[in-house]
Amino acid sequence: MFEAVLVEKSGSGQARLARLDDDALPDGDVLVRVAWSTLNYKDALAVTGKGPILRSFPMVPGIDLVGVVEDSRDPAWKAGDRVLVNGYGIGESWWGGLAGKARLKGAWLLAPPSSLTARQTMAIGTAGYTAMLCVMALERCGLSPDKGDVLVTGASGGVGGIAIALLARAGYRVIASTGRLSEEAYLKSLGAAEVVDRAQFSAPGAPLQKARFSGAIDSVGSHTLANVCASLKEDGVVAACGLAQGMDLPASVAPFILRGASLIGIESVRRPMGVRVEAWSRLARELDGQKLEAMTQEIALCEAIPASARVLAGEVRGRLAVAVDPQAAG
């Protein structure tokens, strides 16, 4: 038997901590004993029923996990192997990481970087992986530190915090946008050179504004993303990876046809394995371990349900690592 956060039907307040056995798990090639998972914004929507995240019921949320193989029908994996998975629909259409065990497809798994502990791997999690995908996208568009300031919106969240740390280490001057100005010292400790109030981006704005940023990573969407695009310098680029403010984009073509701005969408769920390996390898090399620890809070599996409401209310800074069965990782 193992414990799991189980959502049994659509609607708010349906999640509960359940005890299940292996027979309850979906069919798959590899049975994994989960050591750590995370609580992301998407997970919080799934647990609370506040967003249409889950594709079927019952469902175990948790869009990423790290653990140890217990049994495998996939020749690529054997009992005792450490494995990591994020995306591929786990926690949405396939039972995910907020459970003591998971049965998964072997093709979804990769070996976590050996330099990271299991806890560090999930302190990074999907949020950090997405932040690295954003950095990689900006680099592909030719962004470099000498071109000017880079804005990070949603800076107090998981994607934002890790993006700040990665960009600052690479030599960029980072501007952090947040609704919690009380977190200024924390954001500067991660590497932000300046902290600004998100209010200047969150309301409807002019289609073309003062050119301020050479690049940006946005996890907010809606008016915020529109205003960020309008504030880009010539040939500026923004990587968009979230919708905390909304899914709409009330923007103008002006920044794109008058300044040559680029808007890149970041999709993290179904990236090819080669991209995943590159992103995780770079995270292991380039993300400062002390800064990662500073932005990480640890909770037990039984705390995931009440913590979900705090995540949606914007009361959690940085990352929530969920200790499912830490001894499983050795």
Side-chain angles (χ1 to χ4, degrees):
M1 301 290 289
F2 59 89
E3 289 190 327
V5 173
L6 190 68
V7 183
E8 295 183 279
K9 61 181 179 179
S10 180
S12 178
Q14 301 299 328
R16 66 182 178 91
L17 194 64
R19 286 192 60 79
L20 305 173
D21 59 32
D22 291 6
D23 291 340
L25 294 167
D27 191 24
D29 304 316
V30 183
L31 178 64
V32 176
R33 185 179 173 191
V34 179
W36 291 85
S37 185
T38 63
L39 192 65
N40 300 281
Y41 191 84
K42 186 182 285 188
D43 299 320
L45 288 172
V47 170
T48 61
K50 300 297 185 183
I53 301 299
L54 303 183
R55 310 300 185 199
S56 63
F57 299 90
M59 180 60 61
V60 173
I63 61 174
D64 46 12
L65 64 88
V66 66
V68 175
V69 173
E70 279 201 351
D71 184 58
S72 175
R73 300 197 305 267
D74 185 324
W77 304 102
K78 65 182 185 302
D81 285 345
R82 293 176 67 234
V83 292
L84 157 68
V85 62
N86 57 280
Y88 294 108
I90 72 164
E92 301 176 67
S93 57
W94 192 280
W95 283 23
L98 293 177
K101 292 188 180 182
R103 189 176 282 128
L104 305 161
K105 295 185 178 181
W108 297 346
L109 307 178
L110 62 88
S114 59
S115 61
L116 297 175
T117 66
R119 183 182 186 277
Q120 287 174 321
T121 303
M122 283 296 97
I124 295 170
T126 288
Y129 164 72
T130 302
M132 179 54 83
L133 292 180
C134 290
V135 172
M136 291 162 59
L138 296 179
E139 292 172 345
R140 286 196 302 272
C141 285
L143 189 67
S144 56
D146 60 291
K147 294 187 176 179
D149 293 351
V150 176
L151 177 71
V152 175
T153 67
S156 297
V159 174
I162 294 178
I164 291 169
L166 290 170
L167 290 167
R169 180 162 181 169
Y172 292 90
R173 186 176 188 274
V174 183
I175 310 299
S177 167
T178 180
R180 290 180 275 172
L181 293 178
S182 60
E183 300 284 13
E184 180 174 2
Y186 160 72
L187 294 171
K188 287 186 173 180
S189 75
L190 298 182
E194 185 179 342
V195 178
V196 299
D197 193 333
R198 72 180 180 196
Q200 64 183 269
F201 302 105
S202 59
L208 200 64
Q209 301 172 28
K210 180 181 178 181
R212 302 166 59 188
F213 311 112
S214 64
I217 293 176
D218 175 67
S219 59
V220 179
S222 191
H223 291 292
T224 296
L225 178 54
N227 286 320
V228 171
C229 291
S231 302
L232 290 174
K233 296 180 178 181
E234 282 197 19
D235 298 321
V237 56
V238 54
C241 63
L243 43 70
Q245 186 179 9
M247 190 178 289
D248 59 319
L249 182 57
S252 162
V253 299
F256 307 104
I257 63 174
L258 298 179
R259 291 183 182 163
S262 297
L263 172 59
I264 305 174
I266 304 300
E267 191 281 326
S268 64
V269 174
R270 302 195 181 278
R271 292 299 83 205
M273 187 57 71
V275 174
R276 293 171 180 272
V277 171
E278 179 185 358
W280 278 101
S281 296
R282 288 190 58 178
L283 283 161
R285 294 194 308 269
E286 299 173 24
L287 183 58
D288 185 290
Q290 290 184 332
K291 291 182 178 180
L292 177 63
E293 183 61 30
M295 68 180 84
T296 302
Q297 302 174 56
E298 180 182 321
I299 62 172
L301 181 62
C302 63
E303 299 175 279
I305 294 174
S308 294
R310 296 193 292 113
V311 170
L312 297 187
E315 297 172 358
V316 175
R317 82 175 184 192
R319 301 286 294 129
L320 281 180
V322 182
V324 179
D325 185 3
Q327 293 183 348

